[in-house]
Amino acid sequence: MILPIYTYGQSILRKVAEDIPIDYPGLNELIENMFETMEKSNGVGLAAPQIGKSIRVVVISLDVLKDDFPEYEGYNHAFINPHIVEVDDSETALLDEGCLSLPGLSEPVRRPTRIHVTYLDENLQPHDEWVDGYLARVMQHEFDHLEGVVFTDKISPLRKQLVKKKLEMMRKGKVSCSYRVKTPR
C-alpha cells in the first residue's frame, strides 16, 4: 500500500523516534509498504517518521544507482532500531541532498564518509558494522529523521537564508510533487 509522505512542517518530523520491540505488530507489512511508497515516490530512502510513525524503521534501496555504482545492484534493505554509534569525520564530502519530505528542495550537505552503525535487518538479525561511501550518506540522512533532524538543519547559514521562503511555504502546506503527501494544516 502506498502511504502519504509527511512534508516539512509536520511535527512528527521533529520527534525522536522510539526503538520498537522485535514482535512489533505488522512490521513486515509496514516495511513492504515503506518500500512500495519509496519506490513510487522515486526515493532511495524512507524513514518511518516520514509516513507518520515515530518508530526507528528505515528502508533504503540503492539499486537505481547500479549504473554508476555497480556495488549497489540489488541493494534493498530495511533497518530496524538503527543507531549511528560512531562517526569517522577524518574525511567528509559535500554533496547535494534532497528529501521526499521536502519536495523540490535540494541543497549541499557536508557529511562524514564513514560511520559505525548498529541495527537489526528485516530478518531481525543484529548488525554492527562500519559503512562508507554513498550508503553512509544515505544512512545518515535517513537516520537523522529518526532523531527529528531534516537535511536543511545541516546546511550553511547562508543557504538556510536562501531557502527560508520555500520552507515557510512548505510549513503552510504549499507543496507540489508527483506523489501522495500529508501536509501541515
Side-chain angles (χ1 to χ4, degrees):
M1 173 175 27
I2 296 173
L3 306 167
I5 294 175
Y6 284 54
T7 60
Y8 185 84
Q10 292 280 9
S11 62
I12 195 151
L13 295 176
R14 293 307 191 171
K15 290 182 180 174
V16 175
E18 299 287 329
D19 279 348
I20 62 169
I22 59 171
D23 61 349
Y24 185 84
L27 180 59
N28 290 335
E29 183 181 359
L30 173 67
I31 289 169
E32 187 178 303
N33 291 343
M34 287 177 69
F35 271 118
E36 190 176 345
T37 299
M38 177 186 61
E39 184 179 308
K40 184 72 172 173
S41 306
N42 294 317
V44 295
L46 186 67
Q50 292 179 274
I51 56 160
K53 298 195 174 297
S54 190
I55 57 174
R56 297 187 79 85
V57 178
V58 166
V59 295
I60 295 175
S61 177
L62 299 182
D63 187 63
V64 296
L65 305 173
K66 66 185 172 203
D67 291 343
D68 295 323
F69 301 98
E71 66 271 26
Y72 295 137
E73 184 170 357
Y75 190 95
N76 296 294
H77 291 286
F79 301 86
I80 301 157
N81 297 336
H83 292 274
I84 296 174
V85 293
E86 191 176 349
V87 173
D88 175 0
D89 57 5
S90 62
E91 189 176 325
T92 63
L94 183 68
L95 293 173
D96 271 4
E97 289 186 19
C99 181
L100 296 174
S101 290
L102 289 94
L105 192 60
S106 169
E107 288 295 323
V109 178
R110 181 168 301 282
R111 292 191 187 269
T113 58
R114 187 168 181 259
I115 58 172
H116 179 197
V117 296
T118 61
Y119 62 92
L120 300 174
D121 64 23
E122 50 271 8
N123 299 313
L124 302 176
Q125 295 302 305
H127 293 262
D128 183 335
E129 59 195 32
W130 282 93
V131 179
D132 58 16
Y134 194 73
L135 177 57
R137 173 172 292 275
V138 175
M139 282 181 161
Q140 289 173 80
H141 177 107
E142 298 307 330
F143 295 2
D144 276 353
H145 280 298
L146 305 178
E147 303 300 331
V149 174
V150 294
F151 82 92
T152 53
D153 297 339
K154 297 186 172 279
I155 63 177
S156 73
L158 174 60
R159 298 300 311 169
K160 281 183 186 174
Q161 278 295 70
L162 294 173
V163 300
K164 188 176 182 177
K165 193 174 197 172
K166 286 182 183 177
L167 293 176
E168 191 53 41
M169 295 300 282
M170 282 184 212
R171 191 184 326 269
K172 291 178 178 175
K174 296 181 173 139
V175 298
S176 177
C177 57
S178 62
Y179 48 88
R180 284 182 61 202
V181 294
K182 182 169 173 77
T183 58
R185 298 188 186 242

